[in-house]
Amino acid sequence: MPVMACCVDSAVAPPVHADAGDTSIPSPVPFLSSNAAAVTAAVANSESSHWSPAHSSAIYRIDEWGAPYFSVNSSGNVVVRPYGTGSLAHQEIDLLKIVKKSLHSAFESAIQAQCYESHYQGVYPVKCNQDRLVAEDIVKFGAPFRFGLEAGSKPELLLAMSCLCKGNPEALLVCNGFKDAEYVSLALIAKKLALNTVIVLEQEEEVNLVIDLSNKLSVRPVIGVRAKLRTKHSGHFGSTSGEKGKFGLTTTQILRVVKKLQDSGMLDCLQLLHFHIGSQIPSTALLQDGVVEATQIYSELVRLGACMKVIDIGGGLGIDYDGSKSGNSDLSVSYGLEEYASAVVNAIRIICDRKSIKHPIICSESGRAIVSHHSILIFEAISATVNTPAMNQIDLPLIIEGLSEDARCDYWNLSDAAMRHENETCLLYADQLKQRCVEQFIEGSLRIEQLADVDGLFDLVSKVIGAAEPARIYNVNLSIFTSIPDFWSIGQVFPIVPIHRLDEKPEVRGVLSDLTCDSDGKIDKFIGGETSLLLHELEGNDGGANGRYYLGMFLGGAYQEALGGVHNLFGGPNVVSVLQSDGPQSFAVTRVVPGPSCADVLRMMQHEPALMFETLKHRAEEFHVEDHDNDGTNYATLISSLARSFHNMPYLKALSPCSYEEVHNSATEFGASEDEQWSYCYA
């Protein structure tokens, strides 16, 4: 049963993204309730006992947002349990592995429990993650459950058509989004190819295109309408809901569409009603309100003569990113999978029974819930801000020398307060001293060495009196804009956890700063409302990873890969796909896709890397680069270095301070001939 994971090679510094995924259908499991008391107790007990992986699991809330698929093993490493609670010990995948969960089991349970007289068949909205293996695996493993795909653009429609050729013939191909004649024609071709295609009208004028083109192509289409409900989701993700939402038809527009189809003899083609309240629906109460309103519209369409068969409830099944199980946050939801399915089935059944209408097929487009767990972004902390200097590193006589009268007064008052153990007074005078010295430095009457020692003294006083130590900055080999765009753009918070050393107590609070030259390129908001993250010291650790420190961002499988840009020309990470296996490592790497090279991202911005290389090569020739320069670099090695720079990824590499010779040798390791090492030949 395939699952997704990332195999981290300690010799490769660029970030790595989990990819492709397990589309197997695990048995439904209840969401675990939040247990703040257990977390508090675990941390408290750690003060008097040996630190254990259980303590780390508690402070990072892994059991709350990650159960039943993520856990920490006895070695202090994050593991993925591909079969949820049914996973055996030998099936746990160390460090990274995850399985996508499906809605099918939960809906089937609700349907049986409520004697619902139809079935559920979902579709995956490929906009969440268009990766080939993700889409193909969903179709492959969803085939027994008629699981289909939803497309919102022409490229996505082509992708979906191709994948569904190998899927269940009953699997739905739902065509959403704005449409032109080419889009509608493509959808009609899909119908000709015996794909179970539904063209959903998002704008009223689209019905004219469908009528005209279906007649020209001699295709009897299946048509759906997207209703613009009055029910509104008030959270950040609710902008697509309500009467002023971006998509959908009002009741007046729906009636006009019905009339046009009736006049064209195509009312029987209208078979699906679609609606979408918005992503991350916070509660089942709001969900039920929307489903009830939509089912009333569905029943009216039946009354008007449409051959209705399917009600598509759209997306909205939420992910509990922070483990709080709260309905008052965009980061969480107050229900579990079973509650969600039960609320939908119950609302539709009651209205249909009341109107004596046949129960429709229930469809959903829950992309976030399907793929959020499928990938893990692994990145390395490459450095951190230094510790507060020790007392013997501060030159007290140097501090006093040259101080203004007011600054000297602050210094002696600080000393007196320290002798009296008046902590708050100490901090007050230390702060005043620091500010006066800054003013003196700006005026030019204080040397930089003195200013540095004053800063050190202030930090030392703060530490001695127990003031909260400022969070350290951990520099990570990552671009937030490329790999976690939702954090930067909408403040979406994801669980971030060290993937190893969880058998050690994290002693440092830190924020994460990326490689980009942008003040927004930092992560300073974490689950639980924290503004810093508990981390381990970097210095002198081997952590089982040759002294390197790796962090994982979880639940980011939806949207992040598709939305990422190339800010500062940092491209995407390496992608590694993994299958769960019964071998000694419990997994097998099935695909390794290097991230974009410098040449790739330059090409995205309309540059021509081959011409750029030739320009630099001619420049070297023009300025007569000697065969042996003063530093021992020869011409061939210099040009080889330039060529390799175009081929390498933009991220930092874990190499010792290198010379051109080392780069030349590195090129040779890849099996290139002497000519190939310095001839630009990137396809």
Side-chain angles (χ1 to χ4, degrees):
M1 189 178 296
V3 295
M4 290 306 301
C6 201
C7 181
V8 180
D9 182 346
S10 62
V12 179
V16 188
H17 215 165
D19 187 24
D22 186 353
T23 44
S24 57
I25 313 298
S27 300
V29 292
F31 281 44
L32 301 183
S33 60
S34 177
N35 191 346
V39 174
T40 304
V43 176
N45 292 339
S46 71
E47 302 300 328
S48 58
S49 63
H50 178 68
W51 191 264
S52 72
H55 296 134
S56 291
S57 183
I59 65 170
Y60 293 115
R61 303 187 176 195
I62 293 174
D63 287 339
E64 295 175 53
W65 57 258
Y69 299 113
F70 296 104
S71 184
V72 182
N73 64 14
S74 59
S75 299
N77 298 333
V78 173
V79 296
V80 177
R81 310 181 72 208
Y83 305 98
T85 54
S87 301
L88 302 177
H90 74 276
Q91 294 169 331
E92 291 183 350
I93 302 170
D94 197 340
L95 296 183
L96 313 177
K97 211 77 16 165
I98 191 60
V99 64
K100 291 194 293 288
K101 61 184 177 184
S102 168
L103 305 176
H104 189 272
S105 295
F107 268 102
E108 284 301 299
S109 297
I111 284 169
Q112 291 177 15
Q114 299 185 40
C115 298
Y116 192 82
E117 295 175 356
S118 189
H119 65 271
Y120 167 82
Q121 58 181 98
V123 296
Y124 167 62
V126 295
K127 68 178 181 179
C128 289
N129 191 317
Q130 298 96 340
D131 184 272
R132 177 176 63 85
L133 292 187
V134 172
E136 288 181 353
D137 275 1
I138 286 175
V139 170
K140 177 182 177 182
F141 292 98
F145 314 104
R146 311 180 189 92
F147 217 88
L149 299 175
E150 180 269 343
S153 67
K154 285 178 277 191
E156 288 184 351
L157 181 51
L158 288 167
L159 179 161
M161 290 168 63
S162 175
C163 289
L164 286 173
C165 286
K166 299 179 180 179
N168 189 313
E170 295 182 47
L172 289 168
L173 170 53
V174 177
C175 302
N176 289 333
F178 289 101
K179 302 172 188 70
D180 60 6
E182 185 180 8
Y183 186 126
V184 174
S185 296
L186 193 57
L188 293 170
I189 290 172
K191 186 72 167 63
K192 273 182 172 286
L193 298 176
L195 297 176
N196 192 8
T197 310
V198 183
I199 302 174
V200 178
L201 306 179
E202 306 268 8
Q203 306 292 317
E204 183 182 355
E205 57 270 20
E206 292 172 0
V207 69
N208 299 321
L209 279 174
V210 174
I211 292 171
D212 293 343
L213 291 170
S214 61
N215 288 330
K216 289 178 181 178
L217 294 173
S218 300
V219 178
R220 197 72 178 169
V222 174
I223 300 172
V225 291
R226 177 169 178 171
K228 189 175 290 187
L229 302 186
R230 268 78 166 180
T231 303
K232 183 170 175 58
H233 174 359
S234 60
H236 170 83
F237 297 102
S239 60
T240 55
S241 63
E243 294 180 87
K244 296 182 179 179
K246 180 178 178 182
F247 290 107
L249 307 182
T250 64
T251 51
T252 301
Q253 291 173 317
I254 290 174
L255 287 173
R256 287 202 292 260
V257 165
V258 168
K259 182 67 165 58
K260 287 182 180 179
L261 290 173
Q262 190 172 39
D263 292 345
S264 302
M266 296 177 61
L267 187 55
D268 62 306
C269 295
L270 181 56
Q271 299 180 15
L272 179 146
L273 177 73
H274 172 51
F275 70 94
H276 179 58
I277 299 175
S279 189
Q280 286 288 104
I281 297 174
S283 68
T284 54
L286 175 61
L287 174 66
Q288 281 185 306
D289 288 345
V291 174
V292 166
E293 182 184 351
T295 308
Q296 294 286 11
I297 297 173
Y298 180 94
S299 66
E300 287 298 292
L301 290 173
V302 172
R303 182 182 65 81
L304 291 171
C307 189
M308 301 301 292
K309 296 180 180 179
V310 182
I311 186 164
D312 182 347
I313 65 174
L317 173 56
I319 291 296
D320 191 1
Y321 289 100
D322 63 5
S324 65
K325 307 295 183 287
S326 168
N328 300 316
S329 168
D330 288 334
L331 299 177
S332 185
V333 291
S334 61
Y335 54 83
L337 188 59
E338 290 75 17
E339 295 171 82
Y340 175 89
S342 180
V344 171
V345 173
N346 184 60
I348 297 175
R349 179 185 58 80
I350 289 175
I351 300 298
C352 289
D353 288 349
R354 186 181 302 162
K355 298 291 184 76
S356 298
I357 292 173
K358 183 179 179 181
H359 295 172
I361 296 169
I362 300 174
C363 176
S364 74
E365 303 175 4
S366 302
R368 188 185 296 267
I370 293 174
V371 297
S372 286
H373 296 75
H374 99 280
S375 71
I376 305 166
L377 177 68
I378 305 294
F379 53 94
E380 181 185 3
I382 51 180
S383 64
T385 51
V386 297
N387 293 323
T388 303
M391 186 65 182
N392 59 10
Q393 295 176 284
I394 300 173
D395 191 337
L396 291 178
L398 181 64
I399 291 177
I400 301 172
E401 179 186 336
L403 291 182
S404 67
E405 184 175 342
D406 289 340
R408 282 175 178 267
C409 184
D410 287 331
Y411 177 80
W412 294 118
N413 286 335
L414 168 61
S415 298
D416 291 342
M419 296 295 293
R420 297 192 299 270
H421 303 289
E422 297 174 354
N423 291 349
E424 294 301 321
T425 305
C426 277
L427 195 58
L428 173 65
Y429 284 122
D431 185 57
Q432 288 184 185
L433 172 62
K434 182 176 180 178
Q435 296 307 315
R436 293 190 202 278
C437 289
V438 169
E439 293 170 5
Q440 279 192 253
F441 179 75
I442 293 173
E443 293 169 357
S445 60
L446 201 68
R447 299 195 302 274
I448 192 171
E449 295 90 345
Q450 292 172 282
L451 185 64
D453 278 339
V454 169
D455 287 339
L457 178 61
F458 176 82
D459 291 341
L460 183 62
V461 169
S462 299
K463 186 173 184 179
V464 168
I465 69 172
E469 184 178 345
R472 293 193 202 170
I473 298 174
Y474 276 62
N475 300 305
V476 294
N477 203 6
L478 178 76
S479 165
I480 291 168
F481 305 91
T482 297
S483 296
I484 321 177
D486 272 352
F487 177 83
W488 166 71
S489 60
I490 62 174
Q492 174 70 54
V493 177
F494 299 92
I496 297 177
V497 182
I499 64 168
H500 58 144
R501 298 181 62 192
L502 297 180
D503 54 343
E504 304 173 30
K505 183 177 181 179
E507 303 277 6
V508 180
R509 284 209 163 266
V511 297
L512 309 180
S513 178
D514 76 357
L515 297 180
T516 66
C517 303
D518 196 304
S519 58
D520 286 338
K522 64 180 179 180
I523 302 177
D524 54 6
K525 295 178 183 177
F526 303 89
I527 64 171
E530 298 289 343
T531 56
S532 60
L533 185 67
L534 275 169
L535 298 167
H536 304 84
E537 291 274 7
L538 295 186
E539 292 81 9
N541 82 83
D542 59 22
N546 299 323
R548 300 169 73 177
Y549 192 50
Y550 292 104
L551 303 169
M553 186 204 81
F554 297 79
L555 308 187
Y559 297 109
Q560 304 316 295
E561 295 171 62
L563 291 176
V566 288
H567 182 40
N568 260 174
L569 296 188
F570 285 106
N574 296 323
V575 177
V576 178
S577 302
V578 179
L579 292 176
Q580 194 275 330
S581 76
D582 294 328
Q585 300 298 327
S586 297
F587 66 87
V589 175
T590 61
R591 183 181 70 154
V592 178
V593 180
S597 67
C598 291
D600 293 331
V601 292
L602 285 166
R603 208 176 278 113
M604 292 178 194
M605 304 306 292
Q606 312 306 313
H607 295 279
E608 294 290 344
L611 296 179
M612 296 167 69
F613 173 76
E614 289 301 321
T615 298
L616 294 170
K617 183 178 176 183
H618 292 155
R619 180 77 167 188
E621 294 169 352
E622 179 183 358
F623 281 84
H624 306 291
V625 175
E626 298 294 336
D627 213 23
H628 288 283
D629 216 340
N630 292 334
D631 62 355
T633 303
N634 62 42
Y635 173 79
T637 306
L638 185 147
I639 300 303
S640 174
S641 173
L642 285 172
R644 294 300 304 171
S645 294
F646 280 100
H647 290 286
N648 288 336
M649 290 179 68
Y651 292 96
L652 304 186
K653 297 181 68 176
L655 295 175
S656 59
C658 63
S659 65
Y660 289 117
E661 185 65 31
E662 286 177 305
V663 175
H664 175 79
N665 292 338
S666 176
T668 304
E669 291 175 7
F670 283 82
S673 68
E674 182 68 23
D675 289 338
E676 290 172 334
Q677 289 161 24
W678 59 271
S679 296
Y680 186 86
C681 57
Y682 199 84

